[in-house]
Amino acid sequence: VTRRALTTFLAVGVALWFLPDLRGVVDFPLFYLLFLYTTFFWIAQASSWNVLSGYTGYFSFGQAAFFGVGVYTSAILVNRHGWDFFVTIPVAGVASALLALGVGGLAFRLRQLRGEIFALLTLAVSFILASVARFSPAIDGGQGIAISPPDAPGFLGGFNDMIFRLALVIGLLAVGGAYAIQHSRFGWGLFSIRDDEGVAEGLGVPTFRFKMAAIAVTGFLAGISGSVHSLQIGYVTVEDVFSLNLALFVILMSILGGRNHWLGPVVGAVFVFTMQDRLASAGFERWSQIAIGSILVLMVLFARDGLYLRLRARIRTVAAAFVVVFVLSSLLGVGGSVFDHLLFAMFAGILVALVPAAWLRPLRRTALAPDEPAPADADVPVVEAAGSLDPSAAVGPEERS
Amino acid sequence: VSIYVQSAISGLLVGGIFAMMAIGLSLVWGMLKVVNIAHFALILLGGYLTYQLAATTTLDPFLTLLFSVPAFFVVGVAMQWVFERFDVRHFNSLLLSFGLFIIVIRVISNIWSADFRRLPAADNPYATQSIIVGDFAFQLPMLLAFVTAVVISAAVAVALRRTYFGKALRAIGHDPQVAAAFGIDARRMGLLLGGFASATGALAGTFVGVSSSLFPGQAVEWIGLVFTVVIVGGVGNLLGAVVAALIVGIVSGLASVAWGASAAPIVTFVILIVALLFRPYGLFSRGAAT
């Protein structure tokens, strides 16, 4: 972990921390805070998923299980046992991590529980937890649990400011954790497991311990994020908490953004959530799942390595497209809010990132600039660049230190 | 005691429907290495098609199969063509078909709404019929599904052992490259098999539409159960899947009588996890079959 990265994370954190206070100065709608809260929530969940599933290639469909244990731990401790909410956050994280270790202990003992079988096993775990929660009155019993907002210390502000700040801290923790892991020996070990577990084992990577550690990190982050989310939803029910949607969204976000890099899930989370929110507010709620399913299909067919590396490879063109479309859209007033313009601009950026290199060539002074990625139909080199043995190969020399 | 026997019987018959669903899934997973979650969406779509056709015309619900089986065969061939063309297998096929699953389910609930739909009794002579043996009732549609599942899986098992087509398919499932070296056109076989699997989905859908109410969320509930059945039975092993479906059906039928309906899924998934841990290649397999 470099000092520069640390200061960047801190600066972003501090800047966003005081954002709610700005509302006294430039009166923006409360909705903006809620929007950002949910964005942070998804960033935390997607990054959490990516530590295990993106880095090691063990795809989990069980995100809802880890999230749900976090949600229910906080809800039960606060509602039934009168605990202080802030104490329950780490407890929820630890509970989720323990569940994760249990799942890992079962699954990682057997070599054949890879690929689709591991995915189905984790899916089964979240189905089981849902049935257990519905069945047992000590947990839920089908009634749902209400959780009331705690008395927050003054520096966190009112309820909306508080959950915004909590989500911000957890989101930064998740992204920072993913960053730190990617740039450590641990991260290299995880990437080597993804590439070839047998070879990794042979070269002395303690694969079992690394996988256990990765799934514990995934569980812990999903759990603390779920704990805070229980406050946001206020009334916890089995159907909402253990729905398949959560796993679907984090998988989609990470695949869309790119699973080989810590920023991939962040990019994916911002885009998918903005799109879903805009579709819902424009009254196309019925179509948002169709859009999400279609994106998943298209990504698997045409861009399995995700957007992030492509975005980075033509960062200037993408940024230009983003700014131009954003400004145009704001000037013309297409749609209603800032988020509509943001969505259009993101779409433009992504389109530019996905266009085959040949189409961009006329726009360039030289036929093939050195930062040009391979054409979109030749996926292999891009995947290779994602860093099989050296995860920081994906980061590029300027970010290393 | 008789309530336990009756619930074991209903569980057994429900197991027949799950066996019917598992056939298509197990075949393409075992032979083509495609994990097709979209199969569940197709089954549900088949149910709705039966509902729509039988309710708007005077057709017998089972005659709607004349339309849905060929249509689904074409859909299955098209899907397999895409999987083949883009080399989508194993985990990627799970992801891709999950995307398709979401789309189809959403389209279904946009067309038919999220409410329960049930064939009106006038259009559906089978719903209320049962065969009574002693004190116990066998509901007719489920009995039919059960018999069909057994017949199809037995026929496929025989075909896989005896016919050229079946032997070629098993060769592909075992090692596509070597199979190709022996002159087997894996691509065309795959397309046919994909079409066949999807056509069994139309059949399963009709049984669902005839025997129970339809709602879009149903398909999600099937996923866990049917995957349990496929894995416990051994991927690609149809007779294994049928036996596993009956075991799962009976056990969850008994569990829901003993501890209430919400306990049934717990028992099912405990079976799945135990099976994964101790017999990961299926109950009836001696070694690494897949």
Side-chain angles (χ1 to χ4, degrees):
Chain A
V1 183
T2 65
R3 176 168 295 172
R4 216 184 85 187
L6 203 62
T7 40
T8 314
F9 278 119
L10 275 180
V12 170
V14 169
L16 286 169
W17 179 273
F18 291 109
L19 189 71
D21 295 329
L22 268 182
R23 238 159 27 98
V25 189
V26 278
D27 199 34
F28 57 85
L30 187 60
F31 168 71
Y32 287 18
L33 274 193
L34 278 178
F35 183 90
L36 284 175
Y37 163 80
T38 319
T39 311
F40 295 153
F41 167 74
W42 284 116
I43 288 178
Q45 289 292 338
S47 300
S48 136
W49 182 87
N50 203 45
V51 169
L52 174 72
S53 303
Y55 290 179
T56 68
Y58 274 84
F59 259 66
S60 144
F61 270 65
Q63 187 74 10
F66 306 140
F67 164 77
V69 167
V71 170
Y72 268 100
T73 306
S74 279
I76 291 170
L77 288 179
V78 170
N79 179 302
R80 306 250 173 87
H81 304 280
W83 285 39
D84 182 41
F85 173 75
F86 295 98
V87 181
T88 68
I89 299 179
V91 176
V94 170
S96 292
L98 287 179
L99 170 78
L101 285 174
V103 174
L106 274 180
F108 296 147
R109 295 217 169 272
L110 291 169
R111 181 49 57 80
Q112 54 271 44
L113 290 190
R114 283 214 62 150
E116 58 266 27
I117 301 276
F118 180 77
L120 293 172
L121 180 78
T122 51
L123 185 65
V125 169
S126 61
F127 281 149
I128 293 185
L129 286 185
S131 331
V132 170
R134 206 175 286 130
F135 184 62
S136 152
I139 303 171
D140 181 290
Q143 302 294 309
I145 304 177
I147 177 167
S148 49
D151 299 321
F155 70 95
L156 284 171
F159 178 74
N160 290 305
D161 299 0
M162 177 188 74
I163 57 166
F164 170 82
R165 285 173 172 148
L166 288 177
L168 169 67
V169 172
I170 289 171
L172 278 177
L173 200 64
V175 176
Y179 173 86
I181 289 173
Q182 182 175 331
H183 293 81
S184 65
R185 278 182 73 84
F186 177 42
W188 287 35
L190 296 182
F191 279 96
S192 73
I193 290 172
R194 180 200 62 197
D195 289 336
D196 191 324
E197 195 168 344
V199 172
E201 180 93 53
L203 290 176
V205 176
T207 53
F208 181 75
R209 258 194 298 150
F210 273 17
K211 286 184 289 186
M212 290 296 270
I215 201 173
V217 169
T218 291
F220 180 79
L221 291 174
I224 54 176
S225 163
S227 161
V228 170
H229 201 62
S230 71
L231 271 192
Q232 155 71 11
I233 42 187
Y235 193 77
V236 174
T237 62
V238 176
E239 283 69 26
D240 287 343
V241 171
F242 290 104
S243 84
L244 206 51
N245 267 345
L246 186 84
L248 170 67
F249 270 81
V250 292
I251 291 173
L252 176 68
M253 288 165 175
S254 305
I255 291 200
L256 185 75
R259 318 191 290 276
N260 300 320
H261 194 278
W262 58 278
L263 261 175
V266 179
V267 171
V270 171
F271 177 71
V272 172
F273 173 65
T274 310
M275 187 192 70
Q276 196 237 1
D277 180 75
R278 287 300 89 196
L279 282 173
S281 81
F284 290 110
E285 195 137 41
R286 289 142 60 99
W287 299 101
S288 77
Q289 283 204 318
I290 294 181
I292 282 164
S294 317
I295 295 181
L296 188 55
V297 169
L298 292 177
M299 291 306 291
V300 174
L301 288 182
F302 300 110
R304 280 177 213 174
D305 50 324
L307 284 175
Y308 176 71
L309 291 172
R310 290 158 191 265
L311 288 175
R312 219 176 51 109
R314 355 182 131 138
I315 184 70
R316 268 165 293 173
T317 331
V318 167
F322 183 89
V323 171
V324 166
V325 172
F326 188 78
V327 169
L328 269 182
S329 159
S330 321
L331 286 179
L332 296 174
V334 199
S337 74
V338 185
F339 299 111
D340 289 315
H341 310 320
L342 204 62
L343 181 67
F344 295 141
M346 283 196 279
F347 257 120
I350 288 172
L351 276 182
V352 169
L354 288 179
V355 157
W359 298 6
L360 287 181
R361 226 167 272 156
L363 303 178
R364 296 199 161 232
R365 286 179 305 262
T366 50
L368 253 181
D371 65 341
E372 195 67 44
D377 50 348
D379 277 345
V380 188
V382 186
V383 180
E384 291 293 311
S388 21
L389 286 173
D390 175 6
S392 57
V395 181
E398 75 281 3
E399 269 188 53
R400 277 190 230 167
S401 63
Chain B
V1 175
S2 80
I3 183 167
Y4 283 99
V5 178
Q6 179 60 56
S7 62
I9 290 174
S10 345
L12 184 87
L13 294 179
V14 173
I17 289 197
F18 287 127
M20 201 57 234
M21 295 178 180
I23 287 175
L25 198 70
S26 187
L27 263 183
V28 288
W29 191 359
M31 304 299 161
L32 307 174
K33 311 296 174 220
V34 167
V35 191
N36 190 2
I37 288 200
H39 192 64
F40 297 102
L42 286 182
I43 293 171
L44 191 65
L45 187 64
Y48 274 98
L49 280 182
T50 299
Y51 160 80
Q52 191 67 39
L53 290 174
T56 50
T57 66
T58 52
L59 278 179
D60 183 286
F62 283 107
L63 281 181
T64 61
L65 285 172
L66 289 179
F67 168 76
S68 60
V69 166
F72 273 49
F73 185 86
V74 174
V75 171
V77 170
M79 269 202 304
Q80 182 54 35
W81 184 84
V82 173
F83 285 130
E84 228 285 327
R85 167 70 183 75
F86 292 95
D87 192 28
V88 181
R89 292 190 302 149
H90 294 290
F91 190 74
N92 285 321
S93 67
L94 182 64
L95 278 181
L96 191 145
S97 60
F98 194 50
L100 289 176
F101 173 84
I102 302 287
I103 297 173
V104 176
I105 295 296
R106 205 55 224 183
V107 168
I108 287 176
S109 64
N110 282 356
I111 296 178
W112 284 285
S113 87
D115 301 333
F116 284 89
R117 291 295 168 105
R118 196 184 176 95
L119 266 176
D123 298 317
N124 184 6
Y126 305 99
T128 48
Q129 289 183 23
S130 325
I131 292 171
I132 312 281
V133 179
D135 293 340
F136 309 112
F138 294 79
Q139 289 148 295
L140 186 62
M142 298 197 167
L143 194 61
L144 283 175
F146 177 81
V147 172
T148 317
V150 172
V151 169
I152 290 189
S153 54
V156 171
V158 171
L160 283 179
R161 295 255 153 74
R162 296 286 153 86
T163 64
Y164 168 78
F165 188 77
K167 287 176 190 165
L169 269 179
R170 283 193 299 151
I172 294 169
H174 209 73
D175 189 332
Q177 262 119 38
V178 175
F182 280 88
I184 294 170
D185 186 349
R187 199 161 156 271
R188 208 166 46 171
M189 295 277 191
L191 293 181
L192 283 176
L193 188 66
F196 175 75
S198 157
T200 65
L203 214 53
T206 299
F207 286 123
V208 173
V210 170
S211 61
S212 66
S213 314
L214 297 163
F215 64 100
Q218 244 172 336
V220 178
E221 294 169 10
W222 298 334
I223 293 182
L225 270 168
V226 176
F227 270 115
T228 305
V229 164
V230 171
I231 291 170
V232 172
V235 175
N237 181 349
L238 292 194
L239 288 175
V242 171
V243 176
L246 303 185
I247 294 174
V248 167
I250 293 174
V251 171
S252 60
L254 288 177
S256 64
V257 174
W259 300 304
S262 54
I266 305 180
V267 177
T268 315
F269 292 123
V270 170
I271 297 180
L272 171 64
I273 288 185
V274 171
L276 277 178
L277 290 180
F278 297 107
R279 301 305 305 252
Y281 297 111
L283 272 185
F284 313 102
S285 154
R286 297 233 169 77
T290 50

